Amino acid sequence: QYSSIEDLDLTRSNVKQGVNLSNAEVGSISLEDATIHGDFVANGVEFNGIVNIKEADFLRNGEFEDAVFNDTVQFDETVFNDECSFVNAVFNDTVMIRGATFSGKSHKIGNNADFTGAEFRNEVSFDHSQFEHTKFEDVHFKDRVSFNQCTFNGKVLFTGAVFDADTEFKDVSFEADSIFTSTVFKSVLNFNESKFLG
């Protein structure tokens, strides 16, 4: 914690304990195809280089609260088996979270995928991802965002979120309640072929 790390490479690693980088300053990081058995805590971290967390498997919590991402972020096909948190995180560059799995079990006990208060300043794609109970409350998307072909199996909250640019929810399945109270869409919005089953 509170360290300065130039590069951290755990590619294809099997880490059988937790990792705590809280409030560190990190250059590039790779967890591609890694398995993390304990909690991965990166709260308050500033990532100054590329964040490559593709195809990673988080068996317990993944925590990125108040983290700042200054370069490209990739979470493609990553699996969060327990809760994950990006509360108040700031993403300054392109974000790719395609084909990811978020396994939060319940809003009531705080076990969910939580992006509350996050700010995405560049393009972001969640295409083909699977969500259980998820919060996007008060999130600010300042550039294009897509949730195409996603499935929300649990309740999803977009309460108070702001979408500044074109937004796509094409061919999305909302299997439980989907809440868009006080959500603001400032540009083109596309829900073509989506299903609302709550």
Side-chain angles (χ1 to χ4, degrees), residues 13-147:
S13 295
N14 189 13
V15 183
K16 295 191 174 183
Q17 59 185 19
V19 177
N20 192 338
L21 303 173
S22 295
N23 301 297
E25 185 172 345
V26 180
S28 61
I29 181 172
S30 177
L31 299 177
E32 184 172 357
D33 200 25
T35 301
I36 312 295
H37 289 253
D39 292 345
F40 186 90
V41 182
N43 296 331
V45 172
E46 182 168 6
F47 295 97
N48 292 312
I50 292 173
V51 174
N52 176 11
I53 308 184
K54 295 185 295 185
E55 301 179 32
D57 197 358
F58 293 89
L59 300 184
R60 294 192 62 181
N61 296 343
E63 301 179 22
F64 297 87
E65 295 186 9
D66 299 302
V68 177
F69 300 86
N70 291 318
D71 207 326
T72 303
V73 175
Q74 301 178 54
F75 279 95
D76 290 346
E77 298 184 45
T78 288
V79 177
F80 292 94
N81 289 281
D82 209 329
E83 62 186 272
C84 72
S85 178
F86 290 89
V87 171
N88 296 325
V90 177
F91 299 86
N92 287 309
D93 208 330
T94 304
V95 179
M96 290 164 281
I97 311 180
R98 302 166 299 189
T101 301
F102 296 89
S103 304
K105 311 277 190 307
S106 169
H107 288 322
K108 292 182 179 179
I109 61 174
N111 185 338
N112 49 39
D114 195 347
F115 292 85
T116 299
E119 184 174 315
F120 294 87
R121 297 176 176 174
N122 210 312
E123 292 188 16
V124 54
S125 171
F126 289 93
D127 296 348
H128 305 285
S129 292
Q130 302 279 329
F131 298 87
E132 296 298 328
H133 294 275
T134 310
K135 292 182 180 180
F136 285 97
E137 295 185 291
D138 300 314
V139 173
H140 195 169
F141 295 98
K142 293 190 172 183
D143 207 327
R144 295 172 58 92
V145 56
S146 62
F147 287 89

Side-chain angles (χ1 to χ4, degrees), residues 98-198:
R98 302 166 299 189
T101 301
F102 296 89
S103 304
K105 311 277 190 307
S106 169
H107 288 322
K108 292 182 179 179
I109 61 174
N111 185 338
N112 49 39
D114 195 347
F115 292 85
T116 299
E119 184 174 315
F120 294 87
R121 297 176 176 174
N122 210 312
E123 292 188 16
V124 54
S125 171
F126 289 93
D127 296 348
H128 305 285
S129 292
Q130 302 279 329
F131 298 87
E132 296 298 328
H133 294 275
T134 310
K135 292 182 180 180
F136 285 97
E137 295 185 291
D138 300 314
V139 173
H140 195 169
F141 295 98
K142 293 190 172 183
D143 207 327
R144 295 172 58 92
V145 56
S146 62
F147 287 89
N148 297 331
Q149 295 183 296
C150 287
T151 300
F152 292 91
N153 291 304
K155 185 175 181 179
V156 56
L157 306 177
F158 284 95
T159 309
V162 177
F163 296 80
D164 286 344
D166 292 359
T167 302
E168 294 185 345
F169 284 90
K170 293 189 295 186
D171 196 19
V172 173
S173 182
F174 295 94
E175 301 289 332
D177 291 346
S178 51
I179 312 298
F180 290 87
T181 304
S182 301
T183 306
V184 177
F185 297 97
K186 296 183 179 181
S187 188
V188 175
L189 173 61
N190 189 336
F191 276 105
N192 288 352
E193 301 182 58
S194 290
K195 298 180 294 183
F196 293 87
L197 304 174

